């Protein structure tokens, strides 16, 4: 299945944001809700199971100058196997203009047994743009080992590279569960904060939790940005570790 979706947010001239364009195709269906605090909110609603092996999905997001947009999802996305040797792909391309804000906060991606999934995100930030970008990956459903999943994130700020990150789990990624990567934790994720006028967020050494997972803060060169990465034994603990005070 191939599907394309697009959302465009524009400043309304009254201190708020309006959704100027909203279109999608199953399973990438988009729903807009009432804006709060000048921030427009759009949810991705899965119109079908998946992504399934062979699916090719693309979501385009544009936030115009001075606008603010929050994009979430109503449920976790479960990558499932499809026809033999078929890879599923979910691509996100976001453009955030000067003075604009994007909060990308979907629910988790679950790599179900037997899947072969690639999630690719590309974000272009203008100087002065603000970004919250959360990625969460759950390695298999309850009681099962994960299939193959790759999560790649590429962020540019003011025309220069800010972040290049990739995580691979599953049978085709040797050592992914070892101590040098996830250390046996079934949940992992990251939160990127780009805050041109935000508070200073000093880096911190990795902190190990009671469940054996960990969290670390890393200031990024090339922009006013902080990357938080975490592992955890459960999805709710991961979310807590990726929620800054």
């Amino acid at each position: 299945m191939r599907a394309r979706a697009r959302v465009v947010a524009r400043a309304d001239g009254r201190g708020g944001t309006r959704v100027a364009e909203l279109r999608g195709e199953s399973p990438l269906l988009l729903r807009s809700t009432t804006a709060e605090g000048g921030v427009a909110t759009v949810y991705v609603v899965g119109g079908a199971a998946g992504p399934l092996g062979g699916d090719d999905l693309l979501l385009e997001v544009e936030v115009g100058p001075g606008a603010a947009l929050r994009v979430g999802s109503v449920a976790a996305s479960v990558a499932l196997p499809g026809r033999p040797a078929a890879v599923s792909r979910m691509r996100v391309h976001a453009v955030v203009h000067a003075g604009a804000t994007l909060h990308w906060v979907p629910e988790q991606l679950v790599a179900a047994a037997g899947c072969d999934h690639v999630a690719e995100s590309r974000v272009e930030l203008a100087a002065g743009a603000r970004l919250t970008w959360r990625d969460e990956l759950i390695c298999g459903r309850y009681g099962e080992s994960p299939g193959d999943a790759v999560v790649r994130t590429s962020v540019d700020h003011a025309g220069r590279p800010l972040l290049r990150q990739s995580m691979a789990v599953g049978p085709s990624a040797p050592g992914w569960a070892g101590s040098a990567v996830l250390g046996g934790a079934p949940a992992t994720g990251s939160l990127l904060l780009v805050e041109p006028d935000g508070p200073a967020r000093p880096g911190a050494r990795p902190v190990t939790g009671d469940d054996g997972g960990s969290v670390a803060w890393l200031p990024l060169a090339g922009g006013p940005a902080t990357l938080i990465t975490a592992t955890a034994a459960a999805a709710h603990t991961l979310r807590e570790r990726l929620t800054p005070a």
Side-chain angles (χ1 to χ4, degrees):
M1 180 182 297
R2 293 174 61 88
R4 300 292 182 269
R6 179 172 172 81
V7 55
V8 178
R10 304 290 189 201
D12 62 8
R14 303 186 300 274
T17 299
R18 63 183 178 89
V19 177
E21 183 177 350
L22 190 71
R23 54 184 172 87
E25 303 171 326
S26 185
L28 284 181
L29 303 179
L30 304 178
R31 297 292 184 266
S32 178
T33 64
T34 303
E36 295 185 6
V39 181
T41 299
V42 170
Y43 285 95
V44 181
V45 180
L52 301 173
D55 287 356
D56 184 0
L57 313 177
L58 171 64
L59 173 58
E60 296 176 312
V61 179
E62 182 180 354
V63 190
L69 175 66
R70 180 184 187 273
V71 180
S73 61
V74 298
S77 176
V78 183
L80 297 166
R83 61 181 186 271
V87 178
S88 57
R89 298 184 184 277
M90 174 65 193
R91 291 174 290 147
V92 179
H93 180 204
V95 178
V96 188
H97 293 271
T101 300
L102 173 61
H103 302 286
W104 174 263
V105 286
E107 296 304 307
Q108 301 90 353
L109 168 64
V110 181
C115 76
D116 191 354
H117 183 68
V118 177
E120 296 179 306
S121 301
R122 182 163 60 96
V123 186
E124 300 175 38
L125 298 174
R130 299 173 62 89
L131 178 70
T132 301
W133 191 274
R134 186 178 71 204
D135 282 317
E136 296 174 314
L137 175 63
I138 310 301
C139 303
R141 293 169 292 192
Y142 181 76
E144 73 175 11
S145 297
D148 289 320
V150 178
V151 179
R152 299 190 186 102
T153 306
S154 173
V155 181
D156 288 347
H157 178 256
R160 301 181 61 183
L162 177 65
L163 176 68
R164 299 291 187 269
Q165 179 168 269
S166 180
M167 168 63 71
V169 302
S172 297
W176 67 271
S179 57
V181 189
L182 297 188
T188 184
S190 64
L191 180 73
L192 174 64
L193 302 171
V194 181
E195 306 167 299
D197 55 354
R201 298 185 183 272
R205 297 179 61 184
V207 176
T208 301
D210 295 338
D211 63 348
S214 63
V215 60
W217 293 56
L218 177 67
L220 299 183
T226 302
L227 180 68
I228 307 171
T229 59
T231 61
H236 71 276
T237 307
L238 177 68
R239 179 65 56 83
E240 292 173 357
R241 289 178 178 158
L242 294 178
T243 302

